[in-house]
């Protein structure tokens, strides 16, 4: 399939930026519907790999996934265009709310914010259900999900999230070891993320730059 133009990338992410409410959890569902179901820039497995990688990095996962999709299509320029298109509507909306809020903020009360909270909750609940249907398709995946929720809710320790990450890593390794995917190399090639813009030789330098920023900018 022919790669989209920079204008198509910008227009697509601009449309998503205008309708994607509810935070990163909801954004990922909108991304899946747009880029996997409709445009077919990625398949389910490739998209799941991008989401899993984004979850391991600091920062909003939806922005990282959007940058990655733009990069896979048109390199670094595509990543910047994707970020700009997706962020521009929110930036404009927040600026307008800030300007109008100076004059009309006094008419809002606690009931107004409670209504907004209910709307956001419904969007996030819908996004959770869509992600559950997309990423949990086997019994062991549901088992990992339930156990992760128990750890997060029951273990009141600062390292409970690390425990969940380790649990997911071990489960993924065991599932990959006992699966039958090794006997189907053609399917593996179809699900591997590939792009002419991927340069594995530069990966160590980007890792060094990332670690340097984390060390000096966030001591």
């Amino acid at each position: 399939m022919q790669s989209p133009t920079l204008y198509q990338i910008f227009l697509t992410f601009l449309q998503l930026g205008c309708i994607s409410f509810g935070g990163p959890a909801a954004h990922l569902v909108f991304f899946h519907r747009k880029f996997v179901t409709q445009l077919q820039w990625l398949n389910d497995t490739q998209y799941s790999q991008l989401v899993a990688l984004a979850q391991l990095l600091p920062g909003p996962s939806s922005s990282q996934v959007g940058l990655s999709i733009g990069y896979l299509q048109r390199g670094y320029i595509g990543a910047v265009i994707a970020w700009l298109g997706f962020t521009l509507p929110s930036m404009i909306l927040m600026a307008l709310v800030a300007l109008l809020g100076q004059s009309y903020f006094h008419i809002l009360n606690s009931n107004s914010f409670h209504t907004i909270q209910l709307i956001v909750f419904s969007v996030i609940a819908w996004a959770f259900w869509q992600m559950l249907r997309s990423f949990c398709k086997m019994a062991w995946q549901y088992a990992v999900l339930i156990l992760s929720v128990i750890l997060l809710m029951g273990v009141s320790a600062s390292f409970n999230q690390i425990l969940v990450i380790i649990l997911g890593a071990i489960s993924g390794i065991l599932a990959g070891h006992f699966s039958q995917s090794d006997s189907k190399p053609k399917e593996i090639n179809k699900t591997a993320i590939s792009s002419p813009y991927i340069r594995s030789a530069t990966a160590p330098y980007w890792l060094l730059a990332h670690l340097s920023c984390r060390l000096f900018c966030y001591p």
Side-chain angles (χ1 to χ4, degrees):
M1 184 180 66
Q2 186 178 3
S3 299
T5 63
L6 293 176
Y7 174 75
Q8 291 174 329
I9 293 176
F10 177 78
L11 184 61
T12 300
F13 277 93
L14 182 65
Q15 294 172 347
L16 288 171
C18 293
I19 63 175
S20 298
F21 296 93
H27 297 167
L28 293 176
V29 176
F30 285 106
F31 284 179
H32 182 275
R33 176 178 297 179
K34 190 69 175 182
F35 299 115
V36 177
T37 306
Q38 297 179 3
L39 299 179
Q40 298 182 352
W41 291 0
L42 302 166
N43 57 40
D44 279 311
T45 303
Q46 293 170 340
Y47 183 75
S48 299
Q49 292 171 358
L50 285 182
V51 173
L53 178 61
Q55 296 290 352
L56 292 176
L57 301 176
S61 56
S62 58
S63 298
Q64 295 163 351
V65 172
L67 286 167
S68 301
I69 294 175
Y71 174 78
L72 291 176
Q73 303 303 319
R74 286 290 174 176
Y76 295 115
I77 298 179
V80 174
I81 291 297
W83 170 81
L84 181 62
F86 189 69
T87 309
L88 189 60
S90 299
M91 182 184 66
I92 295 175
L93 181 61
M94 291 179 65
L96 291 176
V97 170
L99 292 175
L100 295 176
Q102 296 178 358
S103 302
Y104 300 101
F105 188 77
H106 64 278
I107 66 176
L108 299 177
N109 52 31
S110 58
N111 292 329
S112 302
F113 290 101
H114 182 66
T115 303
I116 296 175
Q117 291 175 345
L118 292 177
I119 295 174
V120 173
F121 174 78
S122 62
V123 172
I124 294 177
W126 173 78
F128 171 78
W129 175 249
Q130 295 296 322
M131 292 180 65
L132 180 67
R133 295 176 57 188
S134 300
F135 298 143
C136 293
K137 299 181 179 180
M138 303 179 67
W140 69 269
Q141 294 172 333
Y142 284 97
V144 172
L145 171 65
I146 295 174
L147 186 56
S148 299
V149 173
I150 294 175
L151 286 175
L152 291 174
M153 299 296 293
V155 179
S156 58
S158 58
F159 55 85
N160 56 359
Q161 296 184 12
I162 298 178
L163 292 177
V164 172
I165 293 175
I166 295 175
L167 171 65
I170 295 176
S171 302
I173 293 173
L174 293 177
H177 178 73
F178 291 106
S179 66
Q180 302 297 325
S181 59
D182 293 337
S183 62
K184 301 177 181 180
K186 293 183 179 180
E187 293 186 6
I188 294 179
N189 293 334
K190 291 181 180 180
T191 57
I193 296 178
S194 61
S195 172
Y197 299 98
I198 294 179
R199 300 289 186 268
S200 58
T202 62
Y205 301 101
W206 284 111
L207 177 61
L208 180 61
H210 170 72
L211 294 177
S212 300
C213 290
R214 295 290 295 177
L215 179 62
F216 295 105
C217 298
Y218 304 96

